[in-house]
């Protein structure tokens, strides 16, 4: 079976909202099973992340729909 390769650059139509806890930037991360979104700020005490999703679109949608 061929390994999955994820391009983690944001698509032109998407943007991630800021972290609801620290106001820092969010990023997409590949964990081998898919893609998740989470806070990328080292100083964030909470470091929230989404579940892992098969597509960037799903991970972005989940991050942007969370309560802020």
């Amino acid at each position: 079976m061929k390994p999955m390769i994820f391009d983690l650059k944001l698509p032109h139509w998407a943007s991630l909202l800021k972290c609801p806890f620290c106001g820092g930037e969010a990023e997409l991360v590949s964990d081998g099973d898919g893609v998740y979104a989470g806070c990328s700020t080292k100083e964030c005490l909470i470091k929230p992340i989404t579940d892992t999703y098969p597509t960037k679109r799903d991970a972005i949608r989940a991050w942007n729909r969370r309560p802020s």
Side-chain angles (χ1 to χ4, degrees):
M1 187 161 109
K2 203 173 185 183
M4 295 177 137
I5 298 173
F6 294 98
D7 174 13
L8 297 177
K9 288 184 265 175
L10 284 175
H12 71 282
W13 51 263
S15 63
L16 291 167
L17 296 176
K18 302 241 185 234
C19 174
F21 298 100
C22 73
E25 297 297 321
E27 67 181 351
L28 293 174
V29 179
S30 170
D31 69 0
D33 292 327
V35 179
Y36 65 89
C39 180
S40 64
T41 306
K42 290 181 182 178
E43 294 80 23
C44 186
L45 298 176
I46 306 296
K47 289 288 206 183
I49 62 171
T50 65
D51 289 333
T52 300
Y53 293 92
T55 67
K56 291 188 289 188
R57 180 184 298 257
D58 291 339
I60 293 165
R61 192 175 290 137
W63 177 263
N64 288 344
R65 269 196 275 172
R66 86 277 188 265
S68 52

